[in-house]
mmCIF file with all atom_site columns, all heavy atoms in Angstrom:
data_model
loop_
_atom_site.group_PDB
_atom_site.id
_atom_site.type_symbol
_atom_site.label_atom_id
_atom_site.label_alt_id
_atom_site.label_comp_id
_atom_site.label_asym_id
_atom_site.label_entity_id
_atom_site.label_seq_id
_atom_site.pdbx_PDB_ins_code
_atom_site.Cartn_x
_atom_site.Cartn_y
_atom_site.Cartn_z
_atom_site.occupancy
_atom_site.B_iso_or_equiv
_atom_site.pdbx_formal_charge
_atom_site.auth_seq_id
_atom_site.auth_comp_id
_atom_site.auth_asym_id
_atom_site.auth_atom_id
_atom_site.pdbx_PDB_model_num
ATOM 1  N N   . SER A 1 403 ? 8.936  4.288  -19.783 1.00 0.00 ? 523 SER A N   1
ATOM 2  C CA  . SER A 1 403 ? 10.354 4.351  -20.152 1.00 0.00 ? 523 SER A CA  1
ATOM 3  C C   . SER A 1 403 ? 11.199 3.739  -19.037 1.00 0.00 ? 523 SER A C   1
ATOM 4  O O   . SER A 1 403 ? 10.974 4.014  -17.857 1.00 0.00 ? 523 SER A O   1
ATOM 5  C CB  . SER A 1 403 ? 10.766 5.807  -20.374 1.00 0.00 ? 523 SER A CB  1
ATOM 6  O OG  . SER A 1 403 ? 12.170 5.956  -20.279 1.00 0.00 ? 523 SER A OG  1
ATOM 7  N N   . PRO A 1 404 ? 12.192 2.913  -19.379 1.00 0.00 ? 524 PRO A N   1
ATOM 8  C CA  . PRO A 1 404 ? 13.034 2.313  -18.330 1.00 0.00 ? 524 PRO A CA  1
ATOM 9  C C   . PRO A 1 404 ? 13.907 3.318  -17.599 1.00 0.00 ? 524 PRO A C   1
ATOM 10 O O   . PRO A 1 404 ? 14.525 2.985  -16.597 1.00 0.00 ? 524 PRO A O   1
ATOM 11 C CB  . PRO A 1 404 ? 13.890 1.298  -19.108 1.00 0.00 ? 524 PRO A CB  1
ATOM 12 C CG  . PRO A 1 404 ? 13.935 1.826  -20.500 1.00 0.00 ? 524 PRO A CG  1
ATOM 13 C CD  . PRO A 1 404 ? 12.593 2.483  -20.725 1.00 0.00 ? 524 PRO A CD  1
ATOM 14 N N   . PHE A 1 405 ? 13.936 4.559  -18.113 1.00 0.00 ? 525 PHE A N   1
ATOM 15 C CA  . PHE A 1 405 ? 14.702 5.608  -17.452 1.00 0.00 ? 525 PHE A CA  1
ATOM 16 C C   . PHE A 1 405 ? 13.873 6.320  -16.379 1.00 0.00 ? 525 PHE A C   1
ATOM 17 O O   . PHE A 1 405 ? 14.412 7.143  -15.633 1.00 0.00 ? 525 PHE A O   1
ATOM 18 C CB  . PHE A 1 405 ? 15.211 6.632  -18.483 1.00 0.00 ? 525 PHE A CB  1
ATOM 19 C CG  . PHE A 1 405 ? 16.031 5.997  -19.569 1.00 0.00 ? 525 PHE A CG  1
ATOM 20 C CD1 . PHE A 1 405 ? 15.534 5.883  -20.850 1.00 0.00 ? 525 PHE A CD1 1
ATOM 21 C CD2 . PHE A 1 405 ? 17.291 5.498  -19.301 1.00 0.00 ? 525 PHE A CD2 1
ATOM 22 C CE1 . PHE A 1 405 ? 16.283 5.309  -21.855 1.00 0.00 ? 525 PHE A CE1 1
ATOM 23 C CE2 . PHE A 1 405 ? 18.050 4.900  -20.308 1.00 0.00 ? 525 PHE A CE2 1
ATOM 24 C CZ  . PHE A 1 405 ? 17.547 4.811  -21.589 1.00 0.00 ? 525 PHE A CZ  1
ATOM 25 N N   . SER A 1 406 ? 12.569 6.042  -16.354 1.00 0.00 ? 526 SER A N   1
ATOM 26 C CA  . SER A 1 406 ? 11.714 6.602  -15.308 1.00 0.00 ? 526 SER A CA  1
ATOM 27 C C   . SER A 1 406 ? 11.623 5.608  -14.159 1.00 0.00 ? 526 SER A C   1
ATOM 28 O O   . SER A 1 406 ? 11.997 4.437  -14.288 1.00 0.00 ? 526 SER A O   1
ATOM 29 C CB  . SER A 1 406 ? 10.310 6.896  -15.853 1.00 0.00 ? 526 SER A CB  1
ATOM 30 O OG  . SER A 1 406 ? 9.616  5.693  -16.101 1.00 0.00 ? 526 SER A OG  1
ATOM 31 N N   . THR A 1 407 ? 11.112 6.069  -13.016 1.00 0.00 ? 527 THR A N   1
ATOM 32 C CA  . THR A 1 407 ? 11.032 5.183  -11.834 1.00 0.00 ? 527 THR A CA  1
ATOM 33 C C   . THR A 1 407 ? 10.155 3.975  -12.099 1.00 0.00 ? 527 THR A C   1
ATOM 34 O O   . THR A 1 407 ? 10.519 2.837  -11.760 1.00 0.00 ? 527 THR A O   1
ATOM 35 C CB  . THR A 1 407 ? 10.491 5.975  -10.628 1.00 0.00 ? 527 THR A CB  1
ATOM 36 O OG1 . THR A 1 407 ? 11.316 7.116  -10.412 1.00 0.00 ? 527 THR A OG1 1
ATOM 37 C CG2 . THR A 1 407 ? 10.503 5.109  -9.381  1.00 0.00 ? 527 THR A CG2 1
ATOM 38 N N   . ASN A 1 408 ? 8.991  4.188  -12.702 1.00 0.00 ? 528 ASN A N   1
ATOM 39 C CA  . ASN A 1 408 ? 8.061  3.090  -12.935 1.00 0.00 ? 528 ASN A CA  1
ATOM 40 C C   . ASN A 1 408 ? 8.647  2.042  -13.873 1.00 0.00 ? 528 ASN A C   1
ATOM 41 O O   . ASN A 1 408 ? 8.572  0.837  -13.631 1.00 0.00 ? 528 ASN A O   1
ATOM 42 C CB  . ASN A 1 408 ? 6.735  3.619  -13.490 1.00 0.00 ? 528 ASN A CB  1
ATOM 43 C CG  . ASN A 1 408 ? 5.912  4.341  -12.439 1.00 0.00 ? 528 ASN A CG  1
ATOM 44 O OD1 . ASN A 1 408 ? 6.250  4.302  -11.269 1.00 0.00 ? 528 ASN A OD1 1
ATOM 45 N ND2 . ASN A 1 408 ? 4.861  5.005  -12.856 1.00 0.00 ? 528 ASN A ND2 1
ATOM 46 N N   . GLY A 1 409 ? 9.227  2.503  -14.981 1.00 0.00 ? 529 GLY A N   1
ATOM 47 C CA  . GLY A 1 409 ? 9.824  1.569  -15.917 1.00 0.00 ? 529 GLY A CA  1
ATOM 48 C C   . GLY A 1 409 ? 10.981 0.806  -15.288 1.00 0.00 ? 529 GLY A C   1
ATOM 49 O O   . GLY A 1 409 ? 11.149 -0.400 -15.517 1.00 0.00 ? 529 GLY A O   1
ATOM 50 N N   . ALA A 1 410 ? 11.773 1.505  -14.487 1.00 0.00 ? 530 ALA A N   1
ATOM 51 C CA  . ALA A 1 410 ? 12.911 0.857  -13.823 1.00 0.00 ? 530 ALA A CA  1
ATOM 52 C C   . ALA A 1 410 ? 12.435 -0.219 -12.844 1.00 0.00 ? 530 ALA A C   1
ATOM 53 O O   . ALA A 1 410 ? 13.073 -1.274 -12.710 1.00 0.00 ? 530 ALA A O   1
ATOM 54 C CB  . ALA A 1 410 ? 13.740 1.899  -13.090 1.00 0.00 ? 530 ALA A CB  1
ATOM 55 N N   . LEU A 1 411 ? 11.323 0.019  -12.171 1.00 0.00 ? 531 LEU A N   1
ATOM 56 C CA  . LEU A 1 411 ? 10.767 -0.981 -11.242 1.00 0.00 ? 531 LEU A CA  1
ATOM 57 C C   . LEU A 1 411 ? 10.328 -2.229 -11.987 1.00 0.00 ? 531 LEU A C   1
ATOM 58 O O   . LEU A 1 411 ? 10.499 -3.354 -11.492 1.00 0.00 ? 531 LEU A O   1
ATOM 59 C CB  . LEU A 1 411 ? 9.587  -0.381 -10.472 1.00 0.00 ? 531 LEU A CB  1
ATOM 60 C CG  . LEU A 1 411 ? 9.936  0.576  -9.327  1.00 0.00 ? 531 LEU A CG  1
ATOM 61 C CD1 . LEU A 1 411 ? 8.693  1.296  -8.823  1.00 0.00 ? 531 LEU A CD1 1
ATOM 62 C CD2 . LEU A 1 411 ? 10.597 -0.177 -8.182  1.00 0.00 ? 531 LEU A CD2 1
ATOM 63 N N   . VAL A 1 412 ? 9.757  -2.059 -13.168 1.00 0.00 ? 532 VAL A N   1
ATOM 64 C CA  . VAL A 1 412 ? 9.355  -3.216 -13.971 1.00 0.00 ? 532 VAL A CA  1
ATOM 65 C C   . VAL A 1 412 ? 10.584 -4.031 -14.373 1.00 0.00 ? 532 VAL A C   1
ATOM 66 O O   . VAL A 1 412 ? 10.594 -5.260 -14.245 1.00 0.00 ? 532 VAL A O   1
ATOM 67 C CB  . VAL A 1 412 ? 8.570  -2.762 -15.224 1.00 0.00 ? 532 VAL A CB  1
ATOM 68 C CG1 . VAL A 1 412 ? 8.361  -3.932 -16.187 1.00 0.00 ? 532 VAL A CG1 1
ATOM 69 C CG2 . VAL A 1 412 ? 7.222  -2.166 -14.825 1.00 0.00 ? 532 VAL A CG2 1
ATOM 70 N N   . VAL A 1 413 ? 11.615 -3.345 -14.852 1.00 0.00 ? 533 VAL A N   1
ATOM 71 C CA  . VAL A 1 413 ? 12.847 -4.044 -15.235 1.00 0.00 ? 533 VAL A CA  1
ATOM 72 C C   . VAL A 1 413 ? 13.454 -4.777 -14.037 1.00 0.00 ? 533 VAL A C   1
ATOM 73 O O   . VAL A 1 413 ? 13.867 -5.942 -14.142 1.00 0.00 ? 533 VAL A O   1
ATOM 74 C CB  . VAL A 1 413 ? 13.870 -3.050 -15.827 1.00 0.00 ? 533 VAL A CB  1
ATOM 75 C CG1 . VAL A 1 413 ? 15.194 -3.755 -16.103 1.00 0.00 ? 533 VAL A CG1 1
ATOM 76 C CG2 . VAL A 1 413 ? 13.325 -2.430 -17.107 1.00 0.00 ? 533 VAL A CG2 1
ATOM 77 N N   . ALA A 1 414 ? 13.474 -4.129 -12.893 1.00 0.00 ? 534 ALA A N   1
ATOM 78 C CA  . ALA A 1 414 ? 14.075 -4.724 -11.691 1.00 0.00 ? 534 ALA A CA  1
ATOM 79 C C   . ALA A 1 414 ? 13.340 -5.971 -11.234 1.00 0.00 ? 534 ALA A C   1
ATOM 80 O O   . ALA A 1 414 ? 13.947 -6.890 -10.666 1.00 0.00 ? 534 ALA A O   1
ATOM 81 C CB  . ALA A 1 414 ? 14.114 -3.698 -10.572 1.00 0.00 ? 534 ALA A CB  1
ATOM 82 N N   . ASN A 1 415 ? 12.034 -6.040 -11.476 1.00 0.00 ? 535 ASN A N   1
ATOM 83 C CA  . ASN A 1 415 ? 11.244 -7.173 -11.023 1.00 0.00 ? 535 ASN A CA  1
ATOM 84 C C   . ASN A 1 415 ? 11.078 -8.261 -12.079 1.00 0.00 ? 535 ASN A C   1
ATOM 85 O O   . ASN A 1 415 ? 10.416 -9.263 -11.827 1.00 0.00 ? 535 ASN A O   1
ATOM 86 C CB  . ASN A 1 415 ? 9.862  -6.694 -10.557 1.00 0.00 ? 535 ASN A CB  1
ATOM 87 C CG  . ASN A 1 415 ? 9.921  -6.037 -9.188  1.00 0.00 ? 535 ASN A CG  1
ATOM 88 O OD1 . ASN A 1 415 ? 10.078 -6.702 -8.179  1.00 0.00 ? 535 ASN A OD1 1
ATOM 89 N ND2 . ASN A 1 415 ? 9.816  -4.717 -9.159  1.00 0.00 ? 535 ASN A ND2 1
#
Side-chain angles (χ1 to χ4, degrees):
S523 160
F525 304 109
S526 71
T527 304
N528 287 350
L531 283 169
V532 170
V533 174
N535 283 287

